[in-house]
Amino acid sequence: MTQGAAEPRRAAVLGSPIAHSLSPVLHRAAYEALGLTGWSYDRFEVDEAALPGFFADLGPEWAGLSLTMPLKRAVIPLLDGISETAASVDAVNTVVFTEDGRRVGDNTDIPGMVAALREHGIEEIGSAAILGAGATASSALAALARICTGEVVAYVRSEARAAEMRQWGERLDVEVRIADWADAAEALHAPLVIATTPAGTTDALAAAVPERPTTLFDVLYDPWPTELAARWSMFGGAVVSGLDLLVHQAVLQVEQMTGRSPAPLEAMRHAGERALAAG
């Protein structure tokens, strides 16, 4: 619900580690553009053990929270309810405090991925490849459930990860085929490649980028560009960055927490770009 511009309202991002988070930059830029002069957005180092105590101390001035690792699943028992989107991957990255005192969880990573791809002209895709099998990969699968009409090939390092991706595919009703990480260079020929791995993991694949690459969605944003993304761009392929994802999911958070829509996408993006450029 929309709050008055001068009402003191609070929001924050929680996680561990959290010092690197760009969320305060993005949300504060949104507040400034929307004229929400009474709003503040902070970051707090909070791990799973400290999360219940943090929640217990929150007052009525709180409008919402952004959550990063390792809290996206740990927060669920503390909430009064979660959205279908969050339930689909057992992960909450957004908590909104309603006027009647309820704490409601959502996941804006999934629609944020879809929006970032749509901004780059991808509204439907016949098949896709995912590099990695962690928590971000499950969100990628959930996003692909909305736009991919065919098979998704997941390149993983272990049978345990393979089993997890098969389970997510069944749960999300996505046709998932598992491939060994040793064959990850084959992924680069897919119509859409989503890289969900930590920094440095895909560097060795840069040399295997095809002469006419399609679209790469690399969820990293710092350092940027990754070696894979740089090579992809050099060969003329389209690249969707982790900053694209971060901004689009933050736009949805701002809209839910403030009740103002649309959130100022470009102001938030420019603020993120400036912060990254400044190091």
Side-chain angles (χ1 to χ4, degrees):
M1 184 172 107
T2 305
Q3 303 292 333
E7 287 184 41
R9 300 285 283 166
R10 296 190 68 185
V13 60
L14 315 181
S16 182
I18 200 62
H20 67 285
S21 176
L22 273 182
S23 291
V25 170
L26 303 182
H27 284 253
R28 290 168 187 169
Y31 299 163
E32 181 178 358
L34 292 170
L36 297 174
T37 56
W39 284 66
S40 63
Y41 189 102
D42 302 296
R43 64 165 68 89
F44 293 97
E45 181 81 18
V46 178
D47 61 14
E48 293 170 271
L51 188 60
F54 187 93
F55 262 70
D57 291 338
L58 297 177
E61 74 278 11
W62 282 88
L65 296 170
S66 308
L67 300 169
T68 185
M69 299 304 291
L71 305 179
K72 292 184 179 183
R73 289 185 179 154
V75 73
I76 294 175
L78 304 176
L79 303 178
D80 297 302
I82 64 174
S83 68
E84 288 185 12
T85 302
S88 73
V89 290
D90 289 336
V92 165
N93 78 328
T94 307
V95 177
V96 174
F97 301 99
T98 65
E99 276 196 332
D100 59 2
R102 298 180 74 243
R103 298 166 173 181
V104 181
D106 192 15
N107 186 310
T108 64
D109 286 332
I110 295 165
M113 281 188 175
V114 174
L117 286 166
R118 184 180 297 122
E119 186 177 46
H120 285 76
I122 297 180
E123 302 207 8
E124 186 175 287
I125 199 83
S127 61
I130 296 177
L131 298 172
T136 305
S138 63
S139 291
L141 263 184
L144 288 171
R146 302 184 180 194
I147 66 169
C148 185
T149 59
E151 180 183 71
V152 176
V153 184
Y155 291 81
V156 305
R157 292 185 181 277
S158 69
E159 181 52 42
R161 290 295 197 184
E164 288 179 12
M165 289 301 280
R166 289 191 193 97
Q167 290 172 358
W168 283 118
E170 291 173 6
R171 181 168 175 173
L172 295 163
D173 197 24
V174 178
E175 182 185 350
V176 176
R177 177 165 63 85
I178 302 299
D180 192 280
W181 184 263
D183 300 319
E186 296 176 1
L188 308 186
H189 296 274
L192 170 64
V193 182
I194 304 181
T196 69
T197 52
T201 307
T202 62
D203 288 357
L205 296 176
V209 172
E211 288 186 6
R212 294 182 179 179
T214 50
T215 300
L216 170 69
F217 191 162
D218 195 324
V219 303
L220 297 173
Y221 62 85
D222 188 18
W224 187 262
T226 62
E227 288 191 29
L228 180 60
R231 181 87 168 181
W232 200 275
S233 293
M234 186 175 73
F235 277 50
V239 175
V240 186
S241 75
L243 181 61
D244 292 322
L245 168 59
L246 191 67
V247 170
H248 277 284
Q249 65 83 27
V251 159
L252 297 169
Q253 290 185 334
V254 168
E255 291 174 353
Q256 290 189 31
M257 293 179 192
T258 68
R260 298 289 187 89
S261 184
L265 172 67
E266 290 308 318
M268 295 168 71
R269 191 199 312 275
H270 292 155
E273 289 171 345
R274 286 194 301 270
L276 288 175

